[in-house]
Amino acid sequence: MKGNRLLADSAITALAPMIWGSTYIVTTQLLPPDRPLLASVVRALPAGLILLLFGRVLPRGLWWWRALVLGTLNIGAFFFLLFVAAYKLPGGVAALVGSVQPVIMLGLAALVLGDKIRLPHVLACFAATTGVALLVLKATAALDVVGVIAAIGGAVSMASGVVLTKRWQRPAGVNVLLFTGWQLTAGGLVLLPALFLLEGLPSTVNGTNLLGFGYLIVFGSLVGYSVWFRGTDRVPAIGLSFLGFCSPIIATVLGFVFLGETLSFLQLVGAAILIGAILLVQLTPTKKPLVEPVRELQRTTS
């Protein structure tokens, strides 16, 4: 019964990286060019403020700095490094470098959460890297040192944020939407000074740009991160990391459908390997049965 519930929670959580798989095509086709900070702030801050407006509860005590740390790791730093890698590297190279995230997550979860490293997890890491390479890497792909560092930094930032989110858990009485709002707002505010100092605001914004920004706010952040942070309560850390591989699969499919990109046999093999790795990790048990952390916390403090 618990296994079925975990699979259902994993399937729901997978909707978030599937939505995020559309970020590349939205950025390249709808947003102003070469504006990574603008895209990051607009994606994070308005959505966070909307959730705060409805929740009307601010962090208290130590959750002020915890929200800042989580918002920086999960949102601010991750968004910025993600867009830098996207601008500096071909999409395939960025995805391949980013595929080190499960390896980082595996180590951090063992050190911080006490999760046991199992052989299927290790095998899945190698399989996933191979699958990403087949899916998105082209022979003509070029390397950029800054882009590679940014891609690795983004993987470290997201892995650290997920592990700390699971370590600290949501505070009692704070629902997932409000928790998401805290982090989106904190991440957007961290990037706001850099936006004004380094990029500034664009002189013009057309209807196409507004459509792209609206999509990122509503689907990329409000929907995507609410689903994702719900999943951090229910899905093991390594499982969350592997669900992220849904993004390059969806990005490849969207490129085929909307941009006329070719889809080779090797890419199909890569997608199949990725899906197999994702399923293998979701079906491999962790150190102990999952509990709902907020309810557990409420019982211990009542």
Side-chain angles (χ1 to χ4, degrees):
M1 186 68 179
K2 290 181 179 178
N4 292 336
R5 185 176 65 180
L6 177 57
L7 287 177
D9 286 330
S10 296
I12 294 171
T13 306
L15 294 175
M18 291 174 71
I19 292 172
W20 297 336
S22 64
T23 300
Y24 178 77
I25 192 172
V26 170
T27 301
T28 56
Q29 302 300 310
L30 301 180
L31 299 188
D34 301 321
R35 294 277 184 171
L37 283 169
L38 176 66
S40 300
V41 171
V42 172
R43 182 180 175 183
L45 192 54
L49 292 176
I50 289 171
L51 292 176
L52 284 185
L53 179 63
F54 282 98
R56 297 186 180 182
V57 176
L58 295 176
R60 296 177 182 175
L62 56 79
W63 272 102
W64 278 106
W65 69 265
R66 283 187 175 182
L68 178 62
V69 170
L70 293 180
T72 300
L73 292 173
N74 285 323
I75 307 297
F78 175 68
F79 279 9
F80 175 68
L81 293 169
L82 179 70
F83 279 109
V84 169
Y87 281 114
K88 293 287 186 180
L89 297 173
V93 177
L96 184 61
V97 176
S99 67
V100 302
Q101 182 178 318
V103 179
I104 299 169
M105 185 81 79
L106 201 61
L108 287 177
L111 290 173
V112 179
L113 304 176
D115 287 353
K116 185 177 180 181
I117 297 178
R118 299 180 181 273
L119 180 60
H121 293 155
V122 177
L123 295 176
C125 285
F126 286 106
T129 301
T130 302
V132 171
L134 291 175
L135 183 66
V136 298
L137 190 60
K138 300 182 186 302
T140 57
L143 293 178
D144 179 277
V145 175
V146 174
V148 170
I149 292 174
I152 294 174
V156 172
S157 182
M158 173 61 87
S160 301
V162 169
V163 169
L164 281 179
T165 301
K166 294 189 73 65
R167 171 76 175 183
W168 290 336
Q169 305 175 357
R170 279 187 286 126
V174 175
N175 62 41
V176 69
L177 293 179
L178 183 56
F179 191 57
T180 303
W182 287 359
Q183 295 189 57
L184 286 170
T185 302
L189 289 176
V190 165
L191 294 177
L192 195 59
L195 170 62
F196 287 110
L197 290 174
L198 301 178
E199 273 187 13
L201 298 177
S203 56
T204 59
V205 176
N206 58 37
T208 300
N209 300 151
L210 292 175
L211 180 62
F213 286 136
Y215 178 88
L216 290 180
I217 292 169
V218 174
F219 294 99
S221 292
L222 285 174
V223 176
Y225 272 97
S226 295
V227 171
W228 181 254
F229 288 128
R230 174 192 178 276
T232 59
D233 285 349
R234 296 166 167 82
V235 181
I238 187 63
L240 284 169
S241 182
F242 270 81
L243 290 178
F245 286 124
C246 293
S247 287
I249 296 175
I250 296 300
T252 302
V253 172
L254 291 177
F256 173 77
V257 173
F258 294 104
L259 301 180
E261 297 177 354
T262 58
L263 195 60
S264 67
F265 173 74
L266 285 179
Q267 285 178 301
L268 294 175
V269 172
I273 293 174
L274 268 180
I275 293 171
I278 293 169
L279 291 175
L280 175 62
V281 170
Q282 308 310 314
L283 294 172
T284 301
T286 52
K287 60 173 183 177
K288 58 186 178 181
L290 290 175
V291 297
E292 295 186 21
V294 175
R295 293 182 182 176
E296 193 73 12
L297 182 60
Q298 287 173 333
R299 284 199 296 268
T300 61
T301 57
S302 60

